[in-house]
Amino acid sequence: MTRDYYEVLGVGREADAEEIKRAYRRLAMQHHPDRNPGDPRAEASFKEATEAYEVLRDPQKRSTYDRFGHAGMRGGFAGGADGFDLSDALRAFMRDFGGLGAFEELFGGGESRRAASGPRRGSDVQVRVRLSLEEVAAGAEKTLNLAILETCPACEGTGSETRERIRCPTCGGEGEIRQARRSIFGQFVNVTTCPRCGGSGRAVEKPCPACAGEGRQRKEKRVKVKIPPGVATGNYLTLRGQGNVGANGGPHGNVIVVVEVLDHEVFQRDDDDVLLEQTIPFTTAALGGPITVPTLEGPAELAVPAGTQSGQVLSLKGRGIPRLSAKGRGDLRVHVRVWTPTKLSAEERRLLDELSRSENLKPPAARGTFWEKMKEVFSA
């Protein structure tokens, strides 16, 4: 089934001729057979887009199509993408977009050459910083030792020993190499950036010995970065203008600092909360009382309620990780484990044996069955 021509070009029915032309040019450049050799889907998309363009660019055909749809096109120019010959599509493309600009976009010239000949921004440098959980809680300042490309001082970035450049003998100062090739559809010109001058049209006759004609040298650089509290693994900071210097006098790129939080031997992190497993004596669990627990800022006192059970979670408010994008901080959540002694003296054993006879020291399930309790109620 043939798709709606407006849908093919991605324009509305109110689109004017210039908008239709721009939409087709974008699709034709994307799916052109010479840019996608041997790709039948790209060829089909190229034919489909050209067919839609040929109808909608013509006011009379467009008016007929708007009234009758594809039925109004039967017997005319358009007959579906399968019936629309590739040679017809290529001729239509060459008719309206066969100038040098189209060839440069198809085969790597145009903007790429202009970008190569002028100043280019330097590349970014990525570095990974490892932090302890204590550093995450407090924030940290780190000094990074980086190897950064800087402008060569010997040639001032020109790459030339004499600090001058000559007209490139490879491309004659054009900055590009043109190669003609023939196909069944005619002659095509392949335009590529000159490999010697990089598209600038100016070449180095005597390369600078300090940088081998690159115009840049790799140097050690120390950069300080302040990392705010609350970061997590995968967060990153951008140090703008601290990366590699660009070619042809271009500006520096950035340094991307990626955070990695190390595992802690005591604590675990759960978002902004910190988890701690703490063992307490069974007497403290039964009677309650204060205990001392570690936190990311040092020891702190935690009140254990009487009758605390093993596995119960107690919290210290505001002793977790500071929130990165908001005020406040998480909690310290303490998972209590009740410790049972394994060695007892004779006196300790005697006292525990005496206490074990108390019904209050027996778990609820060991205090008799439901029916035994009911017998006690009715016999009272």
Side-chain angles (χ1 to χ4, degrees):
M1 181 177 179
T2 306
R3 286 201 299 161
D4 178 76
Y5 290 148
Y6 292 99
E7 179 186 343
V8 170
L9 297 183
V11 298
R13 291 188 172 273
E14 71 285 354
D16 59 21
E18 194 59 33
E19 186 177 352
I20 289 171
K21 188 174 183 178
R22 286 197 304 268
Y24 167 66
R25 189 176 193 274
R26 175 179 56 81
L27 290 171
M29 290 294 182
Q30 179 182 348
H31 299 296
H32 196 284
D34 284 325
R35 179 173 275 185
N36 304 274
D39 187 345
R41 290 188 297 180
E43 179 180 315
S45 297
F46 178 76
K47 290 192 295 182
E48 182 184 44
T50 307
E51 177 187 331
Y53 172 65
E54 284 297 282
V55 172
L56 299 184
R57 66 179 285 274
D58 185 296
Q60 185 175 351
K61 290 179 181 178
R62 182 177 181 180
S63 176
T64 303
Y65 177 76
D66 288 342
R67 293 176 62 193
F68 304 107
H70 291 291
M73 299 293 102
R74 292 172 185 166
F77 176 81
D82 292 335
F84 186 39
D85 191 78
L86 177 60
S87 59
D88 292 330
L90 288 168
R91 280 194 292 271
F93 174 78
M94 292 293 294
R95 180 197 63 222
D96 290 354
F97 304 103
L100 180 61
F103 283 114
E104 288 176 334
E105 286 191 45
L106 280 171
F107 302 112
E111 291 299 323
S112 60
R113 174 183 175 246
R114 287 192 291 273
S117 64
R120 287 177 288 172
R121 176 183 175 275
S123 59
D124 294 338
V125 176
Q126 181 173 305
V127 60
R128 187 172 295 273
V129 171
R130 294 178 171 86
L131 301 177
S132 67
L133 205 55
E134 286 85 355
E135 290 176 315
V136 170
E141 181 174 283
K142 296 286 186 178
T143 299
L144 311 177
N145 295 314
L146 306 174
I148 301 294
L149 286 174
E150 296 285 4
T151 300
C152 175
C155 64
E156 297 181 346
T158 62
S160 171
E161 185 178 15
T162 61
R163 301 185 183 181
E164 295 180 355
R165 295 193 174 200
I166 62 172
R167 184 180 181 183
C168 178
T170 302
C171 64
E174 291 295 321
E176 57 190 17
I177 305 295
R178 298 168 183 264
Q179 294 177 327
R181 63 186 180 90
R182 294 185 177 277
S183 72
I184 61 173
F185 306 114
Q187 179 174 290
F188 289 89
V189 179
N190 188 12
V191 182
T192 59
T193 301
C194 175
R196 176 167 181 177
C197 66
S200 66
R202 309 293 292 178
V204 174
E205 188 173 23
K206 293 183 178 180
C208 170
C211 64
E214 169 67 17
R216 299 179 294 177
Q217 286 183 311
R218 196 167 295 279
K219 295 185 177 181
E220 295 293 325
K221 184 178 180 180
R222 293 166 67 88
V223 178
K224 287 188 176 182
V225 55
K226 289 186 177 181
I227 302 175
V231 294
T233 295
N235 290 158
Y236 65 91
L237 297 87
T238 302
L239 306 181
R240 302 198 177 278
Q242 299 289 334
N244 293 322
V245 71
N248 300 325
H252 285 77
N254 303 325
V255 171
I256 310 298
V257 183
V258 182
V259 173
E260 179 183 347
V261 181
L262 301 173
D263 292 335
H264 200 281
E265 59 182 9
V266 174
F267 303 107
Q268 287 186 336
R269 183 176 181 177
D270 181 17
D271 198 7
D272 294 326
D273 290 342
V274 174
L275 311 181
L276 170 69
E277 189 170 289
Q278 182 73 21
T279 303
I280 64 174
F282 73 95
T283 52
T284 304
L287 301 174
I291 61 170
T292 300
V293 296
T295 73
L296 292 173
E297 291 81 25
E301 189 175 274
L302 173 67
V304 178
T308 295
Q309 303 298 309
S310 186
Q312 192 169 335
V313 179
L314 307 176
S315 294
L316 276 177
K317 297 293 184 183
R319 288 303 187 103
I321 303 293
R323 295 184 176 90
L324 184 61
S325 303
K327 294 181 179 179
R329 57 193 302 162
D331 302 329
L332 174 67
R333 303 206 311 262
V334 182
H335 291 243
V336 174
R337 294 288 178 263
V338 177
W339 176 76
T340 303
T342 56
K343 293 183 179 180
L344 297 171
S345 66
E347 179 62 16
E348 290 168 342
R349 185 176 293 277
R350 185 190 67 79
L351 291 171
L352 286 175
D353 184 63
E354 185 177 336
L355 286 170
S356 67
R357 296 174 188 150
S358 171
E359 289 295 319
N360 278 337
L361 297 184
K362 294 179 181 179
R367 295 180 187 174
T369 65
F370 171 79
W371 294 112
E372 290 173 342
K373 291 181 179 179
M374 291 299 294
K375 288 168 68 175
E376 291 177 4
V377 170
F378 286 109
S379 63

